[in-house]
Amino acid sequence: MISKKIIAVTFVVALLAAGCSVKKNNIISRNYHNTTARYNGFYHGKLKMKDAVDKLAEQHEDKYDRILSVFRYADKQKAKSIYPDMDEVIKKVSLVIQRHSMNIGGKERCRWIDDNWLLMGKAHFFKHDFFSAIETFEYVAATYPDETSKYEALLWLTQTNITLTKFASCEFTLDYLRSEPKFPKKLRGDMEAVLSDFYLQTRQYTQAIEHLEKAVVFTKKRDTKIRYMFILAQVYQHENQYKKAFQHYTNCIHMNPPYEMGFNARINRARCFDSENKDSKEVKKELVKMLKDEKNKDYLDQIYYALAGLAIKEPDTAKAIEHLHLSIESSKGNGNQKAMSYLDLGKIFFARRDYKAARNYYDSTMISLSNDYYEYDLVLNRRNSLTKLMKNLNT
């Protein structure tokens, strides 16, 4: 015979189950579904997402011969390593949405459902399933207009459109976000980073500088702040604002960045120095010291290239040519660095109107230069023009 205690427990469980229906908008239902929606699938999915994205960032390859990308998302081939993780995230949050969504009277009563949708969109993004990501982010923005998730979804929507080079759509969304008075302060650093990425991708460098400056201020994570500082210095250097580039490379060095970034900050800083600056001698001394450091033996080509930059600034063209040749001779598989040294030699001899030598150096540049270099077409056109010029001169 069933005891009265078992009957009572069964009755309480049944009562709770009935009270926790997704169709009933009461305090028991809301608390139950809020708690389980947050701490079950969403919590574990978020952890899985973080670990996978961190793993992807470690696989990202920074190319220091050009302005770094704002975000470290690696390429599509490397992203395949986290596809199973993203599938698991999508599965977990889909179950949460299915079991705990409380859409009653046209309003979602479970406050963690939007976060689950947002996590699903990010998973699609990192799977390079960009059109599913766009659908998800647009759904979150439209369905939860009064939640922080709306603004975060719009930022991720913009990142997705940047990846797809749908820049007109990006501009429209970013204009809206910048003018939105309710935009959450905690997302300000993220917005400035996305704006920076947009302007870098569209080669609007003045605007990129403006938003990178703000991204450095509003970003709290140290490693991310250092990266933005380095990129900001690169953009100043690209825009020939060498004094500001020098200062930002110095700031980056003082923040103790990872070795490779710190090394490149010192190299780039040397090519930005002002010959009348009191720190110029210290910069040259630092480079000479780096030449003697055993751990830099694989980077001698870059150090000689930086010394050549100093010589060009002084100006000491003969010394610059000497260092550029040493850079080429020291190269150990760094094709783009060799190309940069040949290119500088080409520019020097072009300025001297020694077009035959300049053409030869431009030819050598094109042999080593990767076709994804941001000024590849410009260099190619100069080489082709010199080739035609030499043909005409010979005729």
Side-chain angles (χ1 to χ4, degrees):
M1 188 174 178
I2 302 174
S3 69
K4 291 181 179 180
K5 186 175 182 180
I6 293 175
I7 293 173
V9 170
T10 304
F11 176 76
V12 171
V13 170
L15 187 63
L16 284 173
C20 295
S21 168
V22 294
K23 300 298 182 182
K24 292 187 177 181
N25 183 22
N26 56 53
I27 191 168
I28 295 175
S29 272
R30 290 196 302 273
N31 285 342
Y32 170 77
H33 290 293
N34 277 324
T35 302
T36 51
R38 179 180 183 183
Y39 291 108
N40 287 349
F42 175 72
Y43 175 78
H44 294 293
K46 191 175 181 180
L47 288 180
K48 177 71 71 175
M49 170 78 72
K50 183 182 183 305
D51 290 342
V53 172
D54 288 346
K55 176 183 173 183
L56 190 63
E58 289 173 6
Q59 296 180 57
H60 179 86
E61 181 185 359
D62 281 324
K63 295 182 179 180
Y64 285 95
D65 59 354
R66 64 204 68 180
I67 295 171
L68 298 187
S69 58
V70 173
F71 303 105
R72 295 192 301 158
Y73 292 153
D75 57 31
K76 185 175 181 179
Q77 192 61 36
K78 290 176 181 174
K80 288 180 180 178
S81 65
I82 68 165
Y83 283 9
D85 296 316
M86 296 302 99
D87 286 334
E88 191 173 339
V89 171
I90 292 169
K91 182 179 177 181
K92 286 180 182 295
V93 297
S94 296
L95 284 172
V96 172
I97 293 166
Q98 180 184 339
R99 294 174 179 175
H100 302 294
S101 176
M102 299 178 64
N103 195 326
I104 302 171
K107 183 176 181 181
E108 180 59 62
R109 309 292 173 170
C110 179
R111 63 176 178 269
W112 290 96
I113 298 301
D114 57 329
D115 298 277
N116 280 273
W117 277 113
L118 188 58
L119 199 60
M120 182 189 292
K122 293 178 187 178
H124 284 305
F125 175 88
F126 287 112
K127 277 198 68 179
H128 287 244
D129 183 359
F130 296 124
F131 294 103
S132 294
I134 287 172
E135 286 182 358
T136 308
F137 293 137
E138 287 180 342
Y139 173 79
V140 174
T143 309
Y144 304 98
D146 300 320
E147 302 292 337
T148 300
S149 56
K150 165 192 171 179
Y151 301 101
E152 193 172 353
L154 289 174
L155 287 175
W156 278 95
L157 176 63
T158 305
Q159 285 194 63
T160 310
N161 282 325
I162 289 173
T163 305
L164 295 171
T165 66
K166 296 170 66 175
F167 295 124
S169 299
C170 299
E171 202 156 18
F172 177 81
T173 307
L174 288 170
D175 284 344
Y176 165 73
L177 290 174
R178 279 186 293 191
S179 62
E180 176 53 59
K182 294 181 180 179
F183 188 87
K185 289 183 180 179
K186 68 177 184 178
L187 295 178
R188 182 68 186 277
D190 295 332
M191 182 175 74
E192 298 300 342
V194 173
L195 281 160
S196 303
D197 189 36
F198 170 75
Y199 286 120
L200 287 174
Q201 296 283 352
T202 53
R203 300 190 179 186
Q204 300 179 66
Y205 296 109
T206 301
Q207 293 92 328
I209 285 172
E210 175 191 346
H211 292 288
L212 279 166
E213 291 276 15
K214 293 176 182 177
V216 170
V217 172
F218 289 105
T219 300
K220 295 181 180 179
K221 192 174 180 182
R222 179 180 168 276
D223 290 347
T224 306
K225 187 185 286 283
I226 291 172
R227 184 176 186 84
Y228 294 164
M229 181 74 73
F230 183 88
I231 296 172
L232 179 58
Q234 286 184 303
V235 182
Y236 274 126
Q237 183 179 4
H238 181 274
E239 293 298 281
N240 300 323
Q241 297 187 47
Y242 296 118
K243 187 174 181 179
K244 289 184 177 180
F246 187 99
Q247 186 57 54
H248 282 84
Y249 280 128
T250 301
N251 292 343
C252 180
I253 292 165
H254 289 164
M255 293 174 76
N256 194 26
Y259 180 79
E260 189 176 13
M261 182 175 286
F263 175 88
N264 281 279
R266 287 177 170 86
I267 295 296
N268 291 350
R269 183 176 67 166
R271 294 184 69 85
C272 296
F273 96 113
D274 180 348
S275 58
E276 297 180 1
N277 190 303
K278 64 180 181 180
D279 297 324
S280 61
K281 291 182 179 178
E282 290 301 316
V283 171
K284 186 181 292 187
K285 188 186 297 183
E286 182 180 57
L287 289 174
V288 172
K289 185 179 178 182
M290 288 167 70
L291 278 175
K292 299 174 183 177
D293 192 331
E294 182 66 20
K295 67 178 175 230
N296 292 330
K297 63 181 181 180
D298 293 331
Y299 303 106
L300 296 181
D301 54 346
Q302 291 176 253
I303 300 172
Y304 280 121
Y305 179 70
L307 284 165
L310 289 174
I312 290 170
K313 292 272 190 179
E314 284 178 337
D316 186 345
T317 307
K319 181 64 71 174
I321 292 171
E322 177 188 343
H323 284 312
L324 288 169
H325 280 294
L326 285 170
S327 173
I328 292 165
E329 292 167 14
S330 303
S331 180
K332 293 183 178 180
N334 188 345
N336 263 18
Q337 178 55 65
K338 183 181 283 190
M340 293 299 97
S341 297
Y342 277 127
L343 181 59
D344 272 12
L345 284 165
K347 289 176 179 178
I348 288 171
F349 284 92
F350 184 85
R352 288 180 170 184
R353 299 188 178 183
D354 185 346
Y355 299 123
K356 182 178 179 180
R359 193 276 309 272
N360 291 337
Y361 283 124
Y362 270 91
D363 279 344
S364 297
T365 299
M366 293 311 302
I367 291 171
S368 300
L369 191 66
S370 63
N371 59 12
D372 63 345
Y373 180 67
Y374 75 101
E375 288 188 335
Y376 182 89
D377 291 339
L378 190 65
V379 178
L380 178 62
N381 289 338
R382 173 64 64 86
R383 192 281 303 270
N384 292 342
S385 297
L386 283 168
T387 299
K388 290 178 183 177
L389 175 62
M390 286 309 303
K391 183 179 179 180
N392 292 333
L393 288 174
N394 289 333
T395 300

